[in-house]
């Protein structure tokens, strides 16, 4: 049944927000920017206090998180994107450590209230359904649990399939906006990133089901897969890098056990080519994050190959992908979800890929993690580690064996120092391990 829509202004719509409310924003390219601006204007006018904002990674200005809004809005994000990273580091915002797969549970299990969900959707079809487009993730759960749902109807939001459809009867207030979605364009990988990409690609088998994020290293990996066959995609997000492989037939999902022939994601970010690609495309399923990132669902597909990143790894295999020292970096995200899922997939491979050094030339393979560093992936979860200098598998290896393997793919200028640190930590037996590993 079609549900009649009455549009209102952003200023009128956000009047439903009360002091102390918890507000969810849809993610990445789908942030309802006109509602954010109207809500922030109410805060500037002194009409609101202590409003809690929740979201995953978002693009665009986070006007509610600037220092001047302290005491008016409190950002407690589930993932710290670049637009709120500095403000979080300065202590004007915070984040909630949570596996990406469980962000939806925070609402569905009543751990966090959702008083108002502010979302952006496609234009309604003739049956009265709109699509969440590029941002299903935890937004679907927020819509289900919110006291009030405000939707910006935008003709630029793609009509994606999967779990993205909601009926207009589930929406309380409608606002119209035709601003194009924010795009993200990624630079071509440099020589170092291409070397990492080649080392990762060498581990990817025909028929593998891929998970990888966005950025230079994922794009470098994807660029090396042109001769592969029957790859699938089950991931939390993807960007433009997959499109050439879909167009050439390399990605076809033929070897997947669940969602066979389909690409599965929960949110995405890229150029308009990606948004156009998923529009009315039944070959792409935008699913609830409780599905895409559930390790036990992930593991049902064979040869799941998950490629994630790290800030540091210590000689025992502990991976920091969250924070260094007391500085918040991004949040837990979906790394553990997919490492756990891939490691339990038949023929699966869990990979963490990173440059061996930072932009300042400091080794990212270290004797011990920086004080206060956030351990995202434990030494018990870690499997493959890849740098530009090679790939090693730590699974089933002792702590001393791990140290030797990691040193072998560290920056050559750092290896002697790392070797001394390993000797101090593990004692004379370290030299036996060194010869046993053939290093």
């Amino acid at each position: 049944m079609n549900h009649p829509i009455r549009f209102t202004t952003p200023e009128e719509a956000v009047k439903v927000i009360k002091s102390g409310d918890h507000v969810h924003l849809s993610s990445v390219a789908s942030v309802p920017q006109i509602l954010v601006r109207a809500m922030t204007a109410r805060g500037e006018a002194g009409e609101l206090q202590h409003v809690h904002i929740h979201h995953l990674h978002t693009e665009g200005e986070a006007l509610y998180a600037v220092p001047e809004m302290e005491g008016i809005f409190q950002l407690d994000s589930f993932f710290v994107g670049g637009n709120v990273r500095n403000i979080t580091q300065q202590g004007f915002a915070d984040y909630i450590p949570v596996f990406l797969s469980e962000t939806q549970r925070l609402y569905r299990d009543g751990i966090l209230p959702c008083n108002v969900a502010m979302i952006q959707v496609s234009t309604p079809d003739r049956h009265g359904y709109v699509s969440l487009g590029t941002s299903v993730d935890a937004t679907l759960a927020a819509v289900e649990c919110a006291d009030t749902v405000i939707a910006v109807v935008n003709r630029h939001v793609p009509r994606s399939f999967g779990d993205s459809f909601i009926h207009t009867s589930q929406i309380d207030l409608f606002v119209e906006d035709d601003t194009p979605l924010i795009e993200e364009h990624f630079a071509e990988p440099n020589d170092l990133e291409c070397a990492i990409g080649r080392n990762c690609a060498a581990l990817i088998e025909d028929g593998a089901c891929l998970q990888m994020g966005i950025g230079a290293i994922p794009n470098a990996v994807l660029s090396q897969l042109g001769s592969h066959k029957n790859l699938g995609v089950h991931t939390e997000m993807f960007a433009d890098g997959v499109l050439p492989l879909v167009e050439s037939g390399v990605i076809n999902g033929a070897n997947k056990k669940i969602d066979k022939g389909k690409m599965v994601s929960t949110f995405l970010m890229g150029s308009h080519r990606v948004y156009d690609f998923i529009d009315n495309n039944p070959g792409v399923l935008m699913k609830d994050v409780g599905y895409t990132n559930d390790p036990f669902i992930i593991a049902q597909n064979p040869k799941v190959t998950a490629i994630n990143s790290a800030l540091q790894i210590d000689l025992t295999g502990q991976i920091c992908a969250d924070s260094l020292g007391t500085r918040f970096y991004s949040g837990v995200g979906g790394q553990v979800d997919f490492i756990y899922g891939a490691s339990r997939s038949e023929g699966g491979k869990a990979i963490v890929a990173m440059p061996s050094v930072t932009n300042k030339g400091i080794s990212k393979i270290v004797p011990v993690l920086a004080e206060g560093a956030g351990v995202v992936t434990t030494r018990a979860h870690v499997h493959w580690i890849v740098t530009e200098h090679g790939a090693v598998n730590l699974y089933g290896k002792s702590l001393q064996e791990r140290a030797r393997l990691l040193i072998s793919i560290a920056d050559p200028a750092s290896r002697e120092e790392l070797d001394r640190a390993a000797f101090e930590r593990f004692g004379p037996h370290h030299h036996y391990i060194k010869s046993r590993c053939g290093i």
Side-chain angles (χ1 to χ4, degrees), residues 28 57 59 79 100 134 184 186 210-215 218 222 233-240 242 263-270 274 286 289 292-293 307-308 334 338:
V28 198
H57 174 91
E59 293 291 325
F79 188 89
L100 197 61
T134 63
E184 184 71 41
F186 302 96
L210 303 179
Q211 176 264 331
M212 58 184 66
I214 59 175
L222 292 166
V233 172
H234 183 114
T235 187
E236 62 199 21
M237 64 188 305
F238 66 84
D240 294 59
V242 304
M263 295 173 62
V264 174
S265 186
T266 194
F267 59 91
L268 52 83
M269 181 70 200
V274 175
M286 299 297 293
V289 72
T292 60
N293 284 56
I307 301 175
N308 289 277
F338 277 95

Side-chain angles (χ1 to χ4, degrees), residues 127-261:
H127 303 290
Y129 284 91
V130 295
S131 173
L132 292 169
T134 63
S135 174
V136 175
D137 45 73
T139 298
L140 181 62
V143 169
E144 293 170 356
C145 299
D147 300 326
T148 304
V149 177
I150 310 173
V152 173
V153 177
N154 188 332
R155 62 183 176 86
H156 294 287
V157 173
R159 185 175 180 268
S160 62
F161 287 76
D163 294 333
S164 67
F165 288 115
I166 58 175
H167 197 264
T168 49
S169 60
Q170 295 176 262
I171 299 170
D172 300 288
L173 295 163
F174 296 88
V175 174
E176 196 167 21
D177 183 34
D178 284 336
T179 303
L181 300 186
I182 295 174
E183 298 182 57
E184 184 71 41
H185 300 276
F186 302 96
E188 289 296 314
N190 60 31
D191 290 344
L192 182 148
E193 292 155 350
C194 286
I196 297 171
R198 286 191 294 272
N199 289 336
C200 288
L203 298 174
I204 298 173
E205 302 176 38
D206 287 344
C209 183
L210 303 179
Q211 176 264 331
M212 58 184 66
I214 59 175
I217 290 177
N219 283 344
V221 176
L222 292 166
S223 71
Q224 304 295 318
L225 300 178
S227 61
H228 280 62
K229 297 180 177 63
N230 300 325
L231 299 181
V233 172
H234 183 114
T235 187
E236 62 199 21
M237 64 188 305
F238 66 84
D240 294 59
V242 304
L243 299 185
L245 296 176
V246 175
E247 292 162 356
S248 66
V250 171
I251 291 178
N252 58 23
N255 198 45
K256 293 180 73 175
K257 182 177 179 181
I258 58 170
D259 303 312
K260 193 177 185 70

Side-chain angles (χ1 to χ4, degrees), residues 362-380:
I362 301 170
S363 178
K364 298 179 77 167
I365 297 175
V366 295
V368 293
L369 296 180
E371 184 178 356
V375 176
V376 169
T377 300
T378 72
R379 57 174 71 100

Side-chain angles (χ1 to χ4, degrees), residues 23-36 39 53-62 64 75 77-79 83 107 114 116-122 131-143 149-154 157 164 166 181-182 266-269:
V23 177
H24 177 86
L25 303 180
S26 53
S27 308
V28 198
S30 288
V31 179
Q33 299 290 349
I34 58 171
L35 296 180
V36 170
M39 176 185 70
I53 308 295
H54 306 293
H55 55 64
L56 294 167
H57 174 91
T58 60
E59 293 291 325
E61 286 188 286
Y64 44 83
L75 172 60
S77 60
F78 306 144
F79 188 89
N83 60 343
Y107 293 132
C114 186
V116 180
M118 301 204 307
I119 64 176
Q120 189 162 215
V121 299
S122 69
S131 173
L132 292 169
T134 63
S135 174
V136 175
D137 45 73
T139 298
L140 181 62
V143 169
V149 177
I150 310 173
V152 173
V153 177
N154 188 332
V157 173
S164 67
I166 58 175
L181 300 186
I182 295 174
T266 194
F267 59 91
L268 52 83
M269 181 70 200

